[in-house]
Amino acid sequence: MKSGVKIFLAVALIAGGAGVSAHVAMAHGGAKGIVKERMDAMGDLAKTMKQVGGMLRGKVPYDPTEIAQAAERLKQHGGSEMTKLFPDGSLEAPSEAKPEIWANWQKFEAFANDLSEKAGALKAASMDQSAVPAAFGAVGKTCKACHEEFRLKKD
Ligand code: HEC
């Protein structure tokens, strides 16, 4: 019961917080170069989050190995792999990045590092099913925190 509630919260957080499903469905035509690259990377993050979320909701069979792999994938996208996709002032349409990114670079970098850190914790938790929902929720929070601050509001 208790973990059921947690799972629900984690999934609700991802679905609402990261703007996953609706947003990815209308993927950005017309994006080019680095903007397209980072949108693709973000899209892969969203897809990976959905995959894990689906397992926590019982929509697809629960598989700790797949969760560990998904967590590794999320981890790889974070840190400098993410920040290198945001060269100074890269705001070409249809980017939804905010110029504040470059005025607050350290904070932006901290969110990107936090994603890798929380994804690493999810990977570490993957063999303990009772610990996965909270660890997954923590990853989702890093998406939401960065989006709230540095992505134009579309959600
Ligand atoms: C360090 C900050 C940061 C983190 C962490 C982050 N994002 Fe993003 N995300 C952004 C920014 C900025 C944009 C807008 C990029 C643009 O439009 O140029 C974005 C855009 C997106 C998009 C829209 C892509 C598109 O095609 O327009 C999705 C989906 C997304 N993020 C999902 C996620 C998910 C899921 C996570 C967590 C697993 C995550 N993001 C973590 C900053 C972040």
Side-chain angles (χ1 to χ4, degrees):
M1 178 62 196
K2 212 169 149 219
S3 79
V5 170
K6 265 202 220 144
I7 289 172
F8 174 77
L9 286 176
V11 171
L13 188 84
I14 301 324
V20 170
S21 39
H23 205 80
V24 168
M26 46 186 204
H28 281 115
K32 289 193 298 260
I34 198 77
V35 171
K36 176 166 190 335
E37 247 183 80
R38 72 189 178 218
M39 284 180 171
D40 288 347
M42 293 288 174
D44 190 58
L45 281 174
K47 207 175 100 194
T48 309
M49 290 300 278
K50 258 184 112 171
Q51 182 200 351
V52 178
M55 275 188 233
L56 296 185
R57 269 176 298 170
K59 282 192 144 187
V60 282
Y62 190 87
D63 182 342
T65 307
E66 275 185 35
I67 291 181
Q69 283 165 355
E72 178 61 27
R73 205 173 163 83
L74 296 167
K75 187 179 162 196
Q76 296 296 334
H77 273 302
S80 59
E81 280 302 307
M82 181 172 281
T83 55
K84 81 176 186 198
L85 299 176
F86 289 87
D88 207 354
S90 54
L91 285 169
E92 296 80 15
S95 176
E96 292 167 0
K98 286 192 190 171
E100 282 82 355
I101 290 173
W102 297 283
N104 298 284
W105 185 252
Q106 283 183 340
K107 194 166 186 193
F108 185 74
E109 225 170 14
F111 283 136
N113 290 337
D114 203 33
L115 168 60
S116 285
E117 198 179 297
K118 296 298 189 302
L122 174 62
K123 189 176 181 189
S126 62
M127 293 302 148
D128 174 4
Q129 193 166 348
S130 67
V132 167
F136 178 66
V139 176
K141 273 190 193 156
T142 70
C143 317
K144 191 171 185 322
C146 191
H147 290 167
E148 274 180 0
E149 187 119 5
F150 293 120
R151 179 183 168 197
L152 294 172
K153 204 80 200 145
K154 292 274 167 98
D155 295 340

